């Protein structure tokens, strides 16, 4: 019964997305539409859709699940996120619009040279494939557990089917379609989260005021931590949050591609500030849900799974009733699809523009190339998800941020040196520096843990960026070049 219900919801949801894609692609399905939506997207639509791109199914599942182990300490990083969005809105967006970029990594070509350009794009492709595949892996695993295991359908078929659905509704107009479908999907998972909280509160016999009181009085409501050796230390979390947004939003083709579909810089900035402001209450909402779930489990004497990512799916499928299951299914599909579809489009864009050197022209050969790359990226997604499933993970959100701290560090260094100095580098050595710095960071992290019992958190991103800058300065030339700002 549960499996059939979820499958019906999934089919109906996909049908709505496909209908939207058909209506959008009637106007134009060329490369200009696929890459930058003809630069005609309303800023408020982009702002809503970007929430879905950043939140994903991982937030829907991992954030409520992490409360038991980490309380509400995640909010320390979320507070840092907001200041990161200010940096992106007032420093990076003006640069991208001034240079009229399709791919943001084209800046590195103009500033340093072709080797730096290709290196930056390659690190983005690597990081985005791993991050987005990890996020989609979680929803695939949940669907597999709740539905397809009962029908003896293998996991690889489930993953392939999900990617196929995403490819179908994004293949014609790419980002032009995604701007609108992601808006629907963002609203879907936010409404779903609110309805689940309402349902859990009803089961606990709590009205709104009592629910708020229960959350605030819980020992898990603690936000601030100041133990210096702890990875939950406020300063580590806060400043890591700022830099994570700078790299995972401002230096990320996926997120910036949506911003660059706005008509002008003013609209793009309004989109970024609105989106950044809304991100804080949305994450607080998911953490509040996590506390209510712990209260419910304690009241009912339920033994929760040891893997934090399994807590919400376990309670929804076994204890919270059919309404919660429906809300949960809609929410996690909406959140996961909103992240994966834009990732697939941005990876296709980056590979076409940055690696293959193809611009957004409309000739038949360029369109054919873009379509082939889109299929290729879909296949890569499937393979990476299957690899993640093979190695297994506990808290996917933590894994994503950790991977980002290593793979986005070189991008932070490249853009930081380019924006704030006039230094010119020996371009051909840039790939060597950018490959070595994450390796050095890993060795430093292991040494600190073994010798000083110091657990490195996401602040490794800042060290990674700093070491990249130092390495680039070592290979700098005596002559300088004007900044492109």
């Amino acid at each position: 019964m549960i499996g059939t219900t979820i499958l019906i919801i999934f089919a109906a949801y996909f049908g709505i997305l496909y209908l939207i894609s058909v209506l959008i692609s009637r106007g134009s399905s060329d490369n200009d539409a696929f890459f930058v939506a003809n630069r005609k997207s309303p800023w408020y639509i982009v702002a809503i859709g970007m929430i879905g791109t950043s939140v994903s199914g991982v937030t829907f599942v991992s954030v409520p699940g992490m409360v038991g182990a980490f309380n509400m300490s995640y909010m320390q990083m979320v507070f840092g996120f907001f200041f990161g969005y200010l940096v992106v809105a007032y420093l990076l967006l003006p640069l991208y619009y001034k240079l009229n970029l399709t791919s943001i990594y084209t800046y590195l070509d103009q500033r340093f040279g072709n080797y730096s350009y290709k290196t930056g794009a390659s690190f983005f492709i690597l990081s985005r494939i791993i991050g987005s595949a990890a996020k989609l892996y979680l929803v695939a695993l949940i669907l597999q557990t709740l539905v397809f295991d009962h029908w003896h359908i293998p996991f690889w078929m489930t993953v392939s089917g999900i990617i196929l659905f995403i490819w179908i509704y994004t293949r014609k107009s790419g980002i032009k379609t995604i701007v609108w479908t992601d808006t629907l999907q963002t609203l879907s998972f936010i409404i779903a989260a609110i309805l689940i909280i309402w349902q859990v509160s009803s089961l606990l016999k709590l009205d709104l005021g009592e629910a708020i009181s229960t959350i605030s009085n819980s020992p898990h409501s603690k936000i601030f931590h100041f133990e210096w050796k702890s990875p939950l230390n406020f300063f580590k979390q806060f400043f890591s949050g700022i830099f994570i947004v700078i790299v995972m939003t401002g230096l990320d083709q996926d997120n910036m591609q949506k911003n660059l579909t706005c008509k002008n810089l003013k609209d793009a900035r309004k989109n970024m500030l609105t989106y950044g402001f809304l991100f804080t209450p949305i994450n607080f909402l998911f953490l509040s849900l996590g506390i209510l779930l712990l209260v419910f489990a304690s009241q009912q004497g339920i033994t929760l799974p040891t893997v934090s990512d399994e807590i919400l799916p376990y309670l929804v499928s076994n204890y919270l009733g059919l309404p919660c299951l429906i809300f949960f299914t809609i929410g996690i599909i909406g959140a996961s699809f909103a992240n994966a579809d834009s990732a697939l489009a941005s990876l296709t864009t980056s590979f076409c523009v940055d690696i293959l050197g193809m611009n957004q022209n409309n000739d038949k050969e360029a369109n054919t190339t873009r379509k082939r790359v889109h299929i290729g990226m879909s296949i890569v997604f499937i393979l990476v998800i299957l690899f993640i499933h093979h190695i297994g993970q506990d808290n996917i959100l933590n894994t994503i941020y950790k991977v980002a701290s290593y793979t986005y560090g070189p991008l932070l260094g490249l853009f930081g040196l380019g924006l704030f100095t006039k230094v010119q580098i020996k371009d051909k050595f840039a790939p060597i520096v950018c490959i070595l710095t994450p390796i050095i960071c890993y060795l430093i992290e292991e040494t600190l843990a073994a010798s000083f019992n110091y657990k490195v958190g996401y602040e490794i991103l800042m060290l990674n960026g700093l070491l990249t800058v130092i390495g680039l300065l070592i290979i700098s030339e005596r002559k300088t070049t004007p900044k492109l700002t």
Side-chain angles (χ1 to χ4, degrees):
M1 176 63 183
I2 291 177
T4 304
T5 301
I6 292 176
L7 200 60
I8 291 172
I9 295 170
F10 189 91
Y13 194 88
F14 171 72
I16 294 172
L17 295 180
Y18 183 71
L19 177 62
I20 293 173
S21 74
V22 170
L23 295 174
I24 295 297
S25 61
R26 281 181 179 178
S28 178
S29 58
D30 56 21
N31 283 346
D32 190 47
F34 190 96
F35 294 153
V36 292
N38 308 114
R39 299 193 190 274
K40 294 181 179 179
S41 300
W43 70 266
Y44 47 88
I45 295 296
V46 177
I48 297 172
M50 280 189 66
I51 295 171
T53 301
S54 295
V55 169
S56 81
V58 172
T59 301
F60 204 93
V61 173
S62 287
V63 172
M66 69 167 55
V67 171
F70 304 111
N71 301 321
M72 295 183 95
S73 61
Y74 182 58
M75 285 302 299
Q76 298 175 120
M77 186 178 292
V78 173
F79 295 146
F81 288 168
F82 178 74
F83 290 92
Y85 291 123
L86 293 178
V87 174
V88 176
Y90 288 98
L91 178 63
L92 294 176
L93 279 178
L95 172 67
Y96 299 153
Y97 269 86
K98 179 180 179 180
L99 298 177
N100 194 33
L101 302 181
T102 297
S103 167
I104 63 174
Y105 308 114
T106 310
Y107 164 77
L108 297 176
D109 188 25
Q110 300 178 38
R111 178 63 176 82
F112 294 125
N114 190 59
Y115 284 96
S116 299
Y117 171 37
K118 300 294 185 184
T119 300
S122 298
F123 268 93
F124 159 72
I125 291 172
L126 173 65
S127 186
R128 178 49 69 180
I129 286 176
I130 295 174
S132 295
K135 292 175 181 179
L136 195 57
Y137 158 72
L138 192 58
V139 68
L141 188 63
I142 291 170
L143 288 173
Q144 182 70 25
T145 303
L146 296 181
V147 182
F148 299 111
D149 272 346
H150 300 291
W151 297 338
H152 306 292
I153 295 174
F155 184 68
W156 70 266
M157 287 187 66
T158 301
V159 172
S160 301
I162 292 172
I163 296 297
L164 176 63
F165 289 146
I166 294 173
W167 175 82
I168 287 173
Y169 75 81
T170 61
R171 64 190 177 92
K172 287 188 176 181
S173 295
I175 199 69
K176 186 176 181 180
T177 297
I178 289 166
V179 164
W180 291 94
T181 55
D182 280 6
T183 300
L184 168 66
Q185 297 185 120
T186 299
L187 294 174
S188 296
F189 78 73
I190 291 175
I191 293 171
I194 293 171
L195 291 174
I196 292 175
I197 289 175
W198 172 77
Q199 180 71 4
V200 174
S201 299
S202 297
L203 292 173
L204 290 169
K205 296 180 171 52
L206 301 174
D207 59 28
L208 179 60
E210 291 171 333
I212 293 174
S213 178
T214 299
I215 293 168
S216 61
N217 292 329
S218 169
H220 293 291
S221 64
K222 181 180 179 182
I223 294 177
F224 298 103
H225 297 256
F226 294 99
E227 302 84 0
W228 179 246
K229 287 188 176 182
S230 171
L232 301 181
N233 174 270
F234 169 77
F235 297 102
K236 296 180 187 178
Q237 293 275 307
F238 180 78
F239 287 104
S240 294
I242 294 175
F243 282 93
I244 281 174
V245 163
I246 291 173
V247 297
M248 294 188 71
T249 299
L251 304 183
D252 181 280
Q253 177 64 26
D254 186 355
N255 284 291
M256 285 299 98
Q257 190 167 349
K258 285 186 176 180
N259 279 271
L260 295 175
T261 67
C262 293
K263 298 176 182 178
N264 51 53
L265 173 60
K266 182 180 179 181
D267 280 359
R269 184 173 284 155
K270 285 191 291 185
N271 150 58
M272 180 59 61
L273 295 176
T274 302
Y275 153 66
F277 176 78
L278 292 174
F279 204 62
T280 301
I282 288 172
N283 276 279
F284 188 81
L285 186 74
F286 281 105
L287 289 168
S288 299
L289 170 60
I291 289 179
L292 290 177
L293 291 175
L294 292 177
V295 172
F296 176 79
S298 175
Q299 190 180 92
Q300 299 295 319
I302 300 169
T303 302
L304 294 174
T306 55
V307 178
S308 61
D309 286 345
E310 295 178 0
I311 291 175
L312 179 58
Y314 175 75
L315 291 175
V316 165
S317 58
N318 292 286
Y319 296 99
L320 300 183
L322 184 60
C324 262
L325 177 64
I326 294 173
F327 303 149
F328 173 76
T329 303
I330 294 173
I332 195 169
I333 292 174
S336 298
F337 273 31
N339 182 271
D341 56 18
S342 61
L344 194 56
S346 66
L347 286 166
T348 300
T349 300
S350 183
F351 194 86
C352 287
V353 175
D354 301 323
I355 306 301
L356 300 181
M358 187 183 82
N359 58 30
Q360 63 197 62
N361 55 39
N362 303 323
D363 62 77
K364 185 176 180 180
E365 184 179 351
N367 276 323
T368 301
T369 300
R370 181 255 298 169
K371 291 175 182 176
R372 289 174 178 172
V373 171
H374 197 210
I375 293 173
M377 284 297 173
S378 301
I379 295 172
V380 170
F381 252 69
I382 294 171
L383 296 176
V384 174
I385 291 172
L386 294 178
F387 176 74
I388 293 172
H389 180 60
H390 175 71
I391 62 176
Q393 286 297 326
D394 182 355
N395 187 286
I396 293 293
L397 188 63
N398 179 65
T399 302
I400 290 168
Y401 284 144
K402 199 67 176 179
V403 169
S405 297
Y406 280 96
T407 55
Y408 278 98
L411 276 172
L412 180 62
L414 282 167
F415 274 86
L417 189 71
L419 288 167
F420 295 109
T421 75
K422 295 183 179 181
V423 172
Q424 183 58 287
I425 64 174
K426 296 175 183 177
D427 180 50
K428 64 181 179 180
F429 295 115
I432 298 174
V433 171
C434 292
I435 291 171
L436 284 178
T437 48
I439 296 174
I440 294 171
C441 283
Y442 177 76
L443 295 176
I444 291 173
E445 180 176 357
E446 291 298 305
T447 301
L448 289 174
S451 302
F452 303 99
N453 196 30
Y454 179 88
K455 295 182 180 180
V456 178
Y458 306 135
E459 70 270 20
I460 197 71
L461 169 63
M462 291 176 276
L463 176 62
N464 200 346
L466 176 61
L467 290 179
T468 301
V469 169
I470 293 172
L472 294 174
L473 288 173
I474 292 173
I475 63 168
S476 64
E477 298 179 339
R478 290 187 177 181
K479 63 180 181 178
T480 60
T481 185
K483 294 188 294 181
L484 296 175
T485 54

